[in-house]
Amino acid sequence: MRSLINILDLSVADLDELIATANDIIENPKKYAEACHGKKLATLFYEPSTRTRLSFEAAMLELGGSVLGFSEATSSSAAKGESVADTAKVISGYADIIAMRHPLEGAPYVAARNASIPVINAGDGGHSHPTQTLTDLLTISREKGRLDHLTIGLCGDLKYGRTVHSLIEAMVRYEGVKFVLISPEELELPGYIKHEVLEKHGVAYTQTTELDAAMPELDILYMTRIQRERFPDPTEYERLKDSYILTPEKMERAKPDMAVLHPLPRVNEISVKVDDDPRACYFRQARYGKYIRMALILKLLGEHEQGLDIPEDLSGCFRDTLSCRNPRCITSTEQELTQYFRLVNPQEHVYRCLYCEAKEIFKTTNK
């Protein structure tokens, strides 16, 4: 069985197939109107969402299927203390596929390990948001006609922005891609993504705090909001929340065919005066999210029905009594979970938690 927890669960061939299917759905919607007749999607959303949850539900309904689920943790048995693992086992008897959003990093991975149906990660804390990345890839492909040889500016919250992290992991596999990382110093891209993703793949990148200076070279500007809910310190959020505001005046410095993307919701980082600029793609981007999720649901259900078994790769991993120290990791709350770490740097004894990818440095001989 295949689930989608991280964008790297999909090969480039998978990505190309999904984009092709989504484009076909856009052109021939009636062809897919009953493709999921009799199938049920469970949307398990433990934190608020508008676009992601509703686009999943719209996707399944337009495929002829049905939807069940909840939109907040307080309306589920999580409020009574039920674990993610138990929820996944129970829901497997009610639905054919699960889409899960959770504030704790690694929760969808736990669900996938315990469910008997495919699980789609619809966002887990600040960790990963692979279906937003699929949406971004479809948008870039349709707006620019390609996914290679692009200069992409990532602006705003690059530290906690799961959409940014997932997009980088996807785009480094395409030739000629360059990134311009635009953020306050406090919200810089995490070091492990710079070193273990960008540098490992030989992808060029520059860092700057100045949006204006970066504008003329960009093919894509990917704006993100400063996320209040990810800040441990509210005063830090207040200090940084207005770091970048995209205005028509700034757009004058951009290429005539630059595309502006944003995963939404926006707060005030893009002026509403930019909305009428033909280069503003974010509302089209939100619409494309429905089509790519339709393609993904079809792919995962089709593979599940074929009995396709993709075993979990635990090579280079070990189990130990040591615990992940990331307070946002699912293992910090559901402490009965087995701890898994993957070796990423043998020389410096660097391991990463398999659930949340937080870094740990220690020596061990337990494999």
Side-chain angles (χ1 to χ4, degrees):
M1 182 185 71
R2 167 137 60 165
S3 292
L4 178 60
I5 305 304
N6 186 291
I7 195 64
L8 295 180
D9 295 336
L10 300 171
S11 67
V12 172
D14 290 327
L15 297 177
D16 292 343
E17 175 193 341
L18 287 167
I19 290 171
T21 302
N23 282 323
D24 194 46
I25 292 170
I26 293 170
E27 299 300 323
N28 305 287
K30 292 183 180 179
K31 175 180 171 183
Y32 296 88
E34 296 297 324
C36 285
H37 179 73
K39 300 294 183 181
K40 296 184 288 295
L41 166 71
T43 53
L44 312 184
F45 277 62
Y46 291 77
E47 66 175 1
S49 170
T50 301
R51 275 149 301 281
T52 303
R53 181 173 63 86
L54 293 182
S55 68
F56 264 114
E57 294 182 358
M60 193 57 164
L61 293 172
E62 292 192 22
L63 289 169
S66 55
V67 179
L68 64 156
F70 53 82
S71 59
E72 57 183 356
T74 54
S75 61
S76 76
S77 288
K80 304 175 185 177
E82 183 174 65
S83 69
V84 168
D86 283 358
T87 298
K89 291 173 184 176
V90 170
I91 299 302
S92 293
Y94 301 155
D96 300 284
I97 188 169
I98 292 170
M100 172 182 282
R101 168 165 289 187
H102 202 287
L104 293 178
E105 297 165 12
Y109 172 67
V110 173
R113 297 192 80 212
N114 288 274
S116 58
I117 58 177
V119 175
I120 301 171
N121 179 4
D124 59 334
H127 177 225
S128 186
H129 196 349
T131 64
Q132 179 62 52
T133 302
L134 290 174
T135 300
D136 300 339
L137 295 179
L138 177 61
T139 304
I140 294 170
S141 175
R142 289 184 66 86
E143 296 293 331
K144 302 300 295 182
R146 66 188 191 279
L147 291 172
D148 55 9
H149 297 93
L150 294 167
T151 298
I152 303 172
L154 303 171
C155 181
D157 179 3
L158 309 190
K159 180 177 181 179
Y160 299 112
R162 59 191 172 197
T163 60
V164 166
H165 302 168
S166 293
L167 182 59
I168 289 173
E169 290 182 324
M171 291 299 296
V172 294
R173 294 183 282 180
Y174 292 90
E175 185 178 355
V177 172
K178 175 186 175 183
F179 289 98
V180 181
L181 309 176
I182 309 159
S183 71
E185 291 181 2
E186 297 88 343
L187 295 176
E188 283 186 0
L189 190 72
Y192 82 90
I193 297 180
K194 284 186 279 190
H195 304 315
E196 297 171 21
V197 181
L198 291 171
E199 292 171 9
K200 180 180 177 180
H201 287 83
V203 174
Y205 71 90
T206 58
Q207 291 183 265
T208 180
T209 59
E210 301 296 327
L211 174 59
D212 287 16
M215 289 291 282
E217 66 176 304
L218 303 180
D219 299 306
I220 303 288
L221 173 60
Y222 194 95
M223 295 292 295
T224 66
R225 69 186 172 93
I226 309 298
Q227 303 174 88
R228 180 196 300 268
E229 65 270 26
R230 306 295 178 212
F231 276 76
D233 182 357
T235 59
E236 189 76 352
Y237 165 78
E238 290 296 329
R239 185 172 67 84
L240 296 171
K241 66 178 182 178
D242 294 327
S243 297
Y244 302 102
I245 300 175
L246 184 64
T247 63
E249 292 72 28
K250 288 184 172 66
M251 290 292 290
E252 290 177 2
R253 297 176 57 82
K255 294 179 180 180
D257 63 344
M258 184 190 75
V260 181
L261 278 66
H262 191 305
L264 301 177
R266 69 172 165 189
V267 182
N268 64 342
E269 61 277 358
I270 299 179
S271 166
V272 295
K273 295 179 181 179
V274 175
D275 293 355
D276 293 331
D277 191 309
R279 295 170 291 182
C281 303
Y282 30 88
F283 292 118
R284 294 195 295 276
Q285 179 184 0
R287 186 169 68 252
Y288 292 147
K290 177 182 67 175
Y291 299 117
I292 200 70
R293 291 180 175 105
M294 292 172 74
L296 179 64
I297 289 169
L298 286 171
K299 180 176 178 62
L300 294 182
L301 284 177
E303 292 179 350
H304 185 53
E305 289 175 357
Q306 295 168 24
L308 180 63
D309 183 25
I310 299 179
E312 183 179 9
D313 179 14
L314 293 177
S315 60
C317 296
F318 78 96
R319 295 183 294 176
D320 205 335
T321 54
L322 293 170
S323 300
C324 178
R325 291 188 282 267
N326 176 10
R328 300 183 302 276
C329 182
I330 185 68
T331 60
S332 69
T333 300
E334 301 192 4
Q335 298 176 359
E336 75 284 357
L337 292 169
T338 301
Q339 294 282 338
Y340 284 96
F341 293 91
R342 185 181 299 279
L343 177 64
V344 295
N345 187 329
Q347 289 74 33
E348 298 182 9
H349 310 286
V350 176
Y351 292 79
R352 292 208 175 278
C353 172
L354 208 62
Y355 298 90
C356 70
E357 297 189 277
K359 181 173 73 172
E360 303 287 350
I361 301 177
F362 49 79
K363 299 179 180 180
T364 181
T365 57
N366 296 330
K367 297 290 182 184

